[in-house]
Amino acid sequence: MHDKTLTQLAASLKSGEFSSRELTAHYLQKIEKTDGKLNSFITVTGEQALDQAEAADKARAGGGDTGILTGIPLALKDIFCTRDVKTSCGSKMLDNFIAPYNATVVEKLSAAGTISLGKTNMDEFAMGSSNENSHFGPVKNPWDLKAVPGGSSGGSAAAVAAGLVPAAMGTDTGGSIRQPAAFCGITGLKPTYGRVSRYGMIAYASSLDQAGPMARSAEDCAHLMNVIAGHDVRDSTSVARGVPDYTETLNAPLSGLKIGLPKEYFGDGLAPEVEKAVRDAVKMYESLGATVREVSLPHTHYAIPAYYVIAPAEASSNLSRFDGVRFGHRCKEPIDLMDLYKRSRAEGFGEEVKRRILIGTHTLSEGFFDAYYTKAQKVRRLIRQDFLDAFEEVDVLMGPAAPTPAFDLGAKKDPVSMYLQDIYTIAVNLAGIPGISVPAGFAGGRPIGLQILGTHFAEAQLLNVAHQYQQATDWHLQLPAIAEENA
Amino acid sequence: MQWETVIGLEVHVQLATRSKIFSGASTAFGAEPNTQACAVDLGLPGTLPVLNEQAVAMAVQFGLAVHSDIAEVSVFDRKNYFYADLPKGYQTSQMYHPIVGPGEVEITLDDDTTKRIRIHHAHLEEDAGKSLHEDFLGMTGIDLNRAGTPLLEIVSEPDMRSAKEAVAYLKAIHAIVTYLGISDGNMAEGSMRCDVNVSVRPKGQEAFGTRAEIKNVNSFRFVERAIAFEVERQIELIEDGGTVVQETRLFDPERDETRSMRTKEEANDYRYFPCPDLLPVVLDEAYLDHLRSQLPELPADKRERFQSELGLSAYDASVLSASREMAEFFEEVHHVCGDAKQAANWVQGELSGALNRENLSITNSPISARQLGELLSRVMDDTINGKAAKQVFQALWNGQGENADEIIETKGLKQVTDTGAIEAMIDQVIAESPAQVAQYRDAEPDKRGKMIGYFVGQVMKASRGTANPQQVNGVLKAKLDALL
Amino acid sequence: MALEESHVRRAAHLARLAVSDDQATGFVDDLSRILDMVDQLQSIDTEGVSPLAHPLDATQRLRADEVTETNQRDTFQRCAPAVENGLYLVPRVVE
């Protein structure tokens, strides 16, 4: 069962080949046997999952209008608030936090009849590119246990890649869906900013955060997008705009598709084997009828500097609510309120989170605000304009999702070298456009991701373009050896 | 040396929305602690703000009322600081692009002169919760019911030159917000709170002195006292060779003084930046026109109209337009009875006196404006005389009847104007008062005027107050003089 | 713009983070390298460019003024570290 895509599983549930309870039990068993090696889950909600599965089976048996995803097990990045279930955000700060409400995404998935197997591991507060910043320990890459799975949605990516769950929800602030999807050989979509509600998703950087699906195929992602996309009255930044049926256009032919290759995405620092895989993929597209040309995104190299002003600034403010007063970690025996704040936060937050809070606090403070924050916001506009200009000329942009395949655990000790991992993904969040990472080959046994970018609200097109590639290749269907253990 | 006082006010007005500025929790006052603090108000992880349209409309109405430029685009910023009753670690406010731009308010001083006070701007923000310092085993308790209540912070220019002007300004703001119905203006419940910036400078000097900000001065009286104390403190300080330091001070009404809040001043750096969870608020001309068309008549316009159209004195016009409730009551009385002066006299006299005696506000008056108006109609059409009117008023006040006519009827207070009936009563009184008639006859002619009072009293008594006094007077005089 | 330890200490205080001397030194190191990287921004000419706060040029939607929330104090306070009589407790605050 675990080698099937979500789309295939949905068909099997519909035909009655097996029940949701059987399917759910199968995945729970796989998690129990395998996840000790991967550490992809923080919390597994087995009992609840089985109850939900039985309810889904009943709903199906009763006929009526059950959605296509009824009875499909999923996993949620531990950044989404789930009622009565621990929601830690990968942090000691929230190790004791049982969320009193569901995120909108969680509500929608539940209403669609899906089953939650549990909450996946992540970099603390979504700050990281390797999943090594989790209070609950690092996640291992299912393709190579010495390698990182990427981050911050590393648990979701690893769980899907290892066949522990058919699909999972992630979030992407600077590449946190696309880069781990690339590292783990799965398909991950970061939608347009505002396409999916952020309500109940613990904020890292509010103007950049966006939730999206991580699954085996673009088709799977399309099914999930049909459920999670749409306006939410509880999120002012969510967009009131019609949601298409993302599965409807998956099979549109690609003849005449204009692909742009940003020259800045193929320069220094790009591993040759990654470049080769990406260029091979582009050739495949040409064979499918697309035309290719080089374009320029001249401000690409300023994306990381701009991001490391804007994201930490927003984060420093967003994370102020974790003060040990109403929820979360509180230090023992505070002598006064100041002591309570300072020690609770020092004990509750990990190093990377503190670093970003300090950077954000510093750059927003008097005397530095204009030089850093205002400047970064101006550069942000230039970066967005680069993309808008490019999309005047081409339909989609293609390039690598990350400069290298997954690196080894512990390989990047210096924060700045870690930040540079996100060189190809981060500008996308600053511009608010959608991007998808699809498996496009391997190097040394580790997967390589092709990143496809579209203009605002071009998710249907990205899924179509990715799906056509997946009809012509089978990179996305390959499974790591660990997925076959205990099968 | 002659000193001049310079005062600017920051007035926080709680807007009378049903729900909070960014959440659907109730704003009702006085609920059990934390029962009206929802997930958004508590700043629970993942929660997000959505702006209340009524808060925006109310801010705009205020702006229109003070002739401000309304910002086509306004932006919410975060003011970052930690405090026990500030749940998110920041207050959502408007630092750089407030919704209400520069405007002005006209104030009326005791000598009936007016002065314009400029408004620098007014912005929307969220209120914080409350810290309760009663003893919880040495702990402070936090109630977040108030957190997220919409506030309009109205910032004046430093245009006031005395405590009296400051109070007049605060009263003018109070009148405007209550006229607009955008706040209940209840200072005791904190619906309107005031920070006062005070400095002094030698008379004639152009540059401002260093100012002190006095926090939370929450009644008209306290504003006057806090300023008086602070001005004296600053002048004494300077005259003794010291200098005023820019600082925040707290007014202590019990000791009638201001004192420095030495705490938390040290490292304030609020790190304002645009709130990424909220988008720019864009208002178009059609929206502003719509709100403009719905503005009620405002206090200054009313006062002016009361004088020019209704012929009231400046004093009466000012008193009757001071609050929306008073003005509306008066106008209803006037509308029913048709005589502005009569209505003004009764509202300010009999009615206000009775309300004061029983410590009631005009909104709780046992007599409705319609009832009072009908009563006055009966005075004006001579159905009853003034004395009877007071009896009817008292009866209405005590709930002894639905309306004036009913009471006049049941109490038999209808004024007797039938000459025959009056003559009959007079004849009887004269017949029963031979001694008084004799005195009258024997008195010096210029003393007789006073003596007639006795007979009038007797006739009025006989008529149980219903006889028309002027008529009685005339007929009596004629009859008595005929006996001479 | 060179970062000094005093900057880190001030930021740590504003952000209410206890930082030991050792940690402060480490943060000065890390943050300096991050800010060096960030300083590349200064080389771009942004004359006439207005800041971009949100990626979409969207405007704020307004909510109808309706009370939609009910009392959930008990649920919300289940995750609180210290409460009494419905109040959140903190060490005594002196005003």
Side-chain angles (χ1 to χ4, degrees):
Chain A
M1 295 177 189
H2 59 273
D3 55 349
K4 292 188 171 181
T5 65
L6 175 146
T7 311
Q8 291 164 336
L9 291 170
S12 299
L13 285 172
K14 189 176 182 191
S15 71
E17 196 181 316
F18 42 75
S19 69
S20 173
R21 195 184 195 287
E22 287 167 322
L23 184 64
T24 302
H26 169 78
Y27 279 113
L28 287 172
Q29 198 182 14
K30 283 217 60 163
I31 292 168
E32 195 180 324
K33 289 191 171 157
T34 312
D35 202 42
K37 290 177 191 161
L38 297 175
N39 196 28
S40 65
F41 279 85
I42 291 173
T43 304
V44 177
T45 50
E47 260 177 58
Q48 288 179 34
L50 291 170
D51 288 348
Q52 287 177 336
E54 277 171 24
D57 286 332
K58 268 192 200 135
R60 240 184 224 289
D65 188 20
T66 51
I68 175 168
L69 298 187
T70 300
I72 293 285
L74 299 173
L76 302 162
K77 186 179 183 178
D78 208 16
I79 200 168
F80 294 99
C81 283
T82 43
R83 190 185 312 129
D84 299 335
V85 175
K86 178 165 105 173
T87 301
S88 76
C89 220
S91 182
K92 180 182 175 186
M93 180 60 87
L94 292 178
D95 193 11
N96 61 2
F97 181 62
I98 311 293
Y101 72 100
N102 278 332
T104 297
V105 163
V106 175
E107 287 285 314
K108 286 187 163 192
L109 288 169
S110 167
T114 68
I115 315 302
S116 171
L117 298 185
K119 310 293 290 292
T120 56
N121 205 339
M122 57 182 286
D123 283 302
E124 184 180 6
F125 285 101
M127 297 178 192
S129 309
S130 69
N131 220 309
E132 292 166 295
N133 296 335
S134 169
H135 172 64
F136 302 92
V139 178
K140 312 282 171 56
N141 190 316
W143 291 91
D144 184 340
L145 298 181
K146 291 194 300 297
V148 302
S152 66
S153 311
S156 289
V160 173
L164 306 185
V165 66
M169 293 303 303
T171 64
D172 189 318
T173 306
S176 284
I177 286 175
R178 293 159 289 154
Q179 183 252 21
F183 279 14
C184 291
I186 64 166
T187 306
L189 172 70
K190 183 210 93 82
T192 305
Y193 180 81
R195 180 76 289 188
V196 177
S197 169
R198 294 189 297 114
Y199 193 84
M201 190 178 114
I202 299 176
Y204 157 24
S206 312
S207 77
L208 302 160
D209 295 341
Q210 183 61 201
M214 303 175 80
R216 299 280 300 286
S217 70
E219 187 176 22
D220 291 359
C221 289
H223 282 298
L224 289 166
M225 279 298 286
N226 279 350
V227 173
I228 62 171
H231 180 233
D232 181 4
V233 293
R234 297 203 279 187
D235 175 3
S236 297
T237 62
S238 89
V239 177
R241 177 183 170 121
V243 179
D245 179 346
Y246 293 103
T247 60
E248 221 165 56
T249 45
L250 287 173
N251 288 312
L254 298 188
S255 58
L257 179 77
K258 286 183 275 182
I259 297 173
L261 301 183
K263 65 178 183 196
E264 293 81 5
Y265 284 27
F266 294 88
D268 287 351
L270 178 60
E273 62 272 29
V274 174
E275 174 161 5
K276 182 176 183 310
V278 170
R279 295 210 184 266
D280 286 350
V282 171
K283 277 194 199 109
M284 171 66 78
Y285 275 106
E286 285 182 295
S287 75
L288 295 172
T291 59
V292 178
R293 62 194 287 190
E294 190 183 86
V295 296
S296 176
L297 302 170
H299 297 94
T300 297
H301 292 287
Y302 300 106
I304 291 181
Y307 177 91
Y308 278 97
V309 173
I310 292 167
E314 292 183 10
S316 71
S317 177
N318 283 336
L319 269 58
S320 291
R321 67 187 61 198
F322 303 101
D323 59 3
V325 175
R326 297 162 319 288
F327 46 79
H329 177 74
R330 174 182 284 201
C331 67
K332 289 210 168 67
E333 295 171 10
I335 54 167
D336 57 20
L337 186 61
M338 183 64 85
D339 183 46
L340 183 153
Y341 286 151
K342 288 193 169 182
R343 278 201 292 131
S344 299
R345 289 166 60 79
E347 294 166 7
F349 292 138
E351 287 307 291
E352 182 60 23
V353 172
K354 287 181 193 172
R355 233 175 254 136
R356 296 197 195 186
I357 289 175
L358 290 174
I359 280 283
T361 305
H362 177 67
T363 54
L364 285 178
S365 65
E366 219 175 304
F368 298 97
F369 178 77
D370 284 332
Y372 287 121
Y373 189 78
T374 309
K375 182 78 181 180
Q377 281 201 325
K378 290 178 177 180
V379 173
R380 183 177 190 178
R381 183 176 294 278
L382 296 175
I383 288 166
R384 185 180 71 162
Q385 197 56 46
D386 283 357
F387 283 108
L388 297 181
D389 291 347
F391 289 122
E392 292 285 310
E393 295 177 40
V394 296
D395 300 317
V396 294
L397 297 170
M398 288 190 189
T404 64
F407 46 88
D408 286 350
L409 284 149
K412 299 202 188 294
K413 297 225 159 40
D414 165 46
V416 174
S417 70
M418 184 70 87
Y419 298 169
L420 296 176
Q421 266 304 304
D422 297 329
I423 177 77
Y424 305 128
T425 49
I426 233 165
V428 170
N429 299 79
L430 291 169
I433 60 171
I436 191 169
S437 176
V438 293
F442 290 88
R446 298 180 185 181
I448 292 169
L450 164 73
Q451 185 179 215
I452 312 168
L453 307 176
T455 194
H456 293 122
F457 302 103
E459 287 83 0
Q461 183 175 39
L462 293 186
L463 290 164
N464 163 231
V465 170
H467 179 68
Q468 289 306 301
Y469 178 73
Q470 292 182 335
Q471 295 302 100
T473 60
D474 68 352
W475 300 116
H476 64 293
L477 296 177
Q478 301 196 20
L479 285 170
I482 201 169
E484 303 301 339
E485 289 173 19
N486 314 306
Chain B
M1 187 179 308
Q2 286 265 9
W3 294 91
E4 183 174 51
T5 307
V6 175
I7 302 162
L9 259 54
E10 290 165 23
V11 183
H12 290 83
V13 175
Q14 273 187 355
L15 297 177
T17 54
R18 285 191 282 273
S19 64
K20 300 211 174 149
I21 183 168
F22 298 124
S23 82
S26 168
T27 54
F29 181 82
E32 283 293 299
N34 290 310
T35 55
Q36 287 177 180
C38 72
V40 174
D41 307 328
L42 293 172
L44 287 185
T47 56
L48 296 170
V50 183
L51 183 57
N52 184 335
E53 66 176 359
Q54 201 56 34
V56 171
M58 288 175 167
V60 171
Q61 284 171 305
F62 176 80
L64 294 172
V66 298
H67 317 290
S68 283
D69 303 326
I70 307 298
E72 193 186 323
V73 179
S74 56
V75 176
F76 283 95
D77 301 294
R78 291 184 182 176
K79 177 182 184 179
N80 293 284
Y81 65 100
F82 284 83
Y83 202 67
D85 51 26
L86 186 70
K88 300 186 295 293
Y90 57 82
Q91 179 193 30
T92 308
S93 182
Q94 297 184 311
M95 174 67 179
Y96 299 109
H97 303 282
I99 186 161
V100 174
E104 61 178 30
V105 172
E106 192 178 81
I107 60 171
T108 306
L109 303 169
D110 284 349
D111 59 1
D112 281 336
T113 57
T114 59
K115 175 174 177 176
R116 286 175 201 282
I117 306 296
R118 290 169 302 154
I119 303 245
H120 180 271
H121 77 272
H123 65 259
L124 281 168
E125 61 185 25
E126 57 184 342
D127 209 342
K130 279 182 183 164
S131 298
L132 303 170
H133 304 293
E134 291 101 74
D135 201 27
F136 296 99
L137 306 161
M139 307 282 272
T140 288
I142 308 296
D143 174 9
L144 296 170
N145 279 348
R146 199 179 66 178
T149 299
L151 292 179
L152 185 66
E153 180 173 341
I154 304 159
V155 181
S156 83
E157 295 284 359
D159 283 355
M160 287 150 274
R161 294 291 173 267
S162 69
K164 289 223 180 311
E165 287 185 17
V167 171
Y169 168 79
L170 193 59
K171 283 187 172 164
I173 295 289
H174 186 269
I176 291 170
V177 299
T178 51
Y179 262 71
L180 292 170
I182 63 173
S183 177
D184 64 19
N186 188 331
M187 295 184 84
E189 287 179 4
S191 301
M192 206 166 133
R193 311 196 286 272
C194 185
D195 299 340
V196 187
N197 288 302
V198 181
S199 65
V200 296
R201 62 181 172 190
K203 214 160 186 133
Q205 176 182 307
E206 202 165 315
F208 291 130
T210 306
R211 67 190 157 90
E213 180 179 10
I214 313 168
K215 284 272 180 203
N216 277 320
V217 198
N218 294 331
S219 81
F220 297 117
R221 214 152 46 86
F222 291 172
V223 166
E224 192 155 0
R225 282 162 51 185
I227 292 172
F229 173 86
E230 183 59 20
V231 167
E232 199 173 323
R233 184 189 74 88
Q234 292 187 12
I235 292 174
E236 265 178 37
L237 190 61
I238 299 169
E239 289 184 340
D240 288 352
T243 48
V244 177
V245 285
Q246 187 165 339
E247 63 177 350
T248 305
R249 300 179 69 84
L250 202 64
F251 177 63
D252 180 346
E254 272 160 39
R255 300 169 68 175
D256 214 2
E257 63 177 29
T258 69
R259 60 170 182 272
S260 181
M261 293 172 74
R262 278 165 227 92
T263 51
K264 73 177 183 174
E265 252 335 73
E266 15 108 13
N268 269 348
D269 180 345
Y270 293 124
R271 289 157 285 136
Y272 285 99
F273 76 107
C275 177
D277 289 329
L278 291 162
L279 300 168
V281 179
V282 177
L283 304 176
D284 61 22
E285 210 42 56
Y287 175 79
L288 301 187
D289 285 344
H290 170 71
L291 288 181
R292 198 176 280 121
S293 72
Q294 298 195 323
L295 280 186
E297 188 181 30
L298 292 161
D301 303 326
K302 244 193 219 310
R303 191 174 58 236
E304 163 59 26
R305 184 169 59 81
F306 284 176
Q307 282 184 255
S308 62
E309 278 182 26
L310 305 183
L312 299 188
S313 70
Y315 176 81
D316 286 355
S318 168
V319 171
L320 290 171
S321 63
S323 83
R324 180 179 181 157
E325 292 76 19
M326 175 73 96
E328 281 176 353
F329 197 102
F330 160 73
E331 291 199 274
E332 171 76 6
V333 174
H334 170 226
H335 174 76
V336 174
C337 79
D339 186 310
K341 283 194 181 135
Q342 196 64 271
N345 287 343
W346 275 78
V347 170
Q348 288 179 90
E350 204 69 16
L351 179 70
S352 290
L355 291 170
N356 283 343
R357 269 195 302 283
E358 302 204 12
N359 208 10
L360 291 171
S361 74
I362 196 152
T363 44
N364 299 322
S365 168
I367 296 186
S368 72
R370 166 155 288 278
Q371 286 174 323
L372 181 56
E374 288 168 350
L375 165 58
L376 300 190
S377 302
R378 294 297 164 259
V379 175
M380 288 163 49
D381 66 12
D382 284 334
T383 305
I384 53 173
N385 59 42
K387 191 168 173 202
K390 290 190 180 173
Q391 281 179 264
V392 177
F393 180 91
Q394 200 53 51
L396 284 169
W397 183 275
N398 295 336
Q400 289 166 337
E402 284 301 303
N403 54 50
D405 287 343
E406 184 189 320
I407 292 166
I408 292 167
E409 186 62 38
T410 53
K411 288 194 182 276
L413 296 176
K414 201 164 177 183
Q415 180 162 257
V416 178
T417 50
D418 173 356
T419 316
I422 289 175
E423 280 185 16
M425 282 189 279
I426 288 172
D427 290 343
Q428 196 180 346
V429 166
I430 289 174
E432 287 170 0
S433 314
Q436 284 80 3
V437 172
Q439 277 176 20
Y440 185 88
R441 195 172 46 215
D442 300 339
E444 296 293 324
D446 60 329
K447 298 266 168 71
R448 287 187 188 133
K450 272 188 187 165
M451 297 181 73
I452 205 167
Y454 165 81
F455 297 98
V456 174
Q458 290 301 307
V459 175
M460 292 308 287
K461 199 171 165 186
S463 76
R464 296 189 334 279
T466 60
N468 181 319
Q470 285 84 31
Q471 222 177 336
V472 171
N473 232 314
V475 177
L476 249 178
K477 191 159 185 316
K479 287 203 181 251
L480 287 172
D481 289 349
L483 298 176
L484 296 178
Chain C
M1 283 174 278
L3 183 83
E4 287 158 25
E5 191 175 320
S6 62
H7 292 129
V8 171
R9 293 218 171 269
R10 180 168 164 73
H13 175 68
L14 287 171
R16 300 296 185 262
L17 282 172
V19 171
S20 71
D21 291 350
D22 277 1
Q23 286 172 319
T25 315
F27 281 132
V28 172
D29 246 33
D30 291 346
L31 269 55
S32 294
R33 267 176 296 151
I34 296 167
L35 289 177
D36 283 348
M37 182 266 288
V38 162
D39 277 339
Q40 294 172 53
L41 292 176
Q42 308 309 330
S43 66
I44 314 178
D45 180 9
T46 51
E47 185 71 34
V49 179
S50 60
L52 182 69
H54 293 95
L56 303 174
D57 296 307
T59 58
Q60 181 65 36
R61 260 178 319 100
L62 303 179
R63 202 188 85 240
D65 180 25
E66 285 160 9
V67 176
T68 53
E69 302 296 321
T70 51
N71 174 21
Q72 292 190 68
R73 183 174 78 182
D74 293 346
T75 310
F76 293 150
Q77 293 195 337
R78 239 172 266 150
C79 56
V83 289
E84 194 167 314
N85 298 335
L87 297 161
Y88 294 95
L89 294 190
V90 297
R92 193 169 193 87
V93 178
V94 190
E95 295 224 337

